[in-house]
Amino acid sequence: MPRTVDDLRQALDAGEWLRPADAALVIGVSKSVVVRMLTADPPKMRYRVKAGTGRHRECHPDDVRREMEARHQVHGE
């Protein structure tokens, strides 16, 4: 069952690393925007490769939180 934005925010508050699609939901952008942040040179968001999955990335919770707060300040939310 997919997690809601509230579920993802609680996971983020608990320090959970989020998949790019989940980070995108929390931040309020598309997944492709998050992927561009991860692949930028230098990366605009730290990530790790999830163990045992090959190349699946997870976004650092502090960076997701920073991007979420920055976006909410810009849009007055």
Side-chain angles (χ1 to χ4, degrees):
M1 182 167 151
R3 298 196 288 181
T4 66
V5 173
D6 288 335
D7 292 339
L8 293 170
R9 286 185 178 155
Q10 288 176 355
L12 190 62
D13 289 343
E16 187 176 320
W17 290 59
L18 300 181
R19 297 176 305 161
D22 292 339
L25 282 173
V26 171
I27 296 169
V29 297
S30 69
K31 179 183 170 186
S32 61
V33 169
V34 172
V35 170
R36 282 196 300 268
M37 290 175 165
L38 299 175
T39 58
D41 187 24
K44 295 183 190 287
M45 191 180 296
R46 293 173 286 176
Y47 67 90
R48 67 182 181 192
V49 176
K50 188 172 181 177
T53 63
R55 299 184 332 186
H56 292 264
R57 293 177 284 198
E58 296 177 313
C59 304
H60 194 290
D62 292 342
D63 294 349
V64 174
R65 204 173 295 108
R66 181 194 70 230
E67 292 297 328
M68 182 180 67
E69 291 169 1
R71 178 164 175 79
H72 290 267
Q73 286 178 358
V74 167
H75 291 95
E77 298 174 3

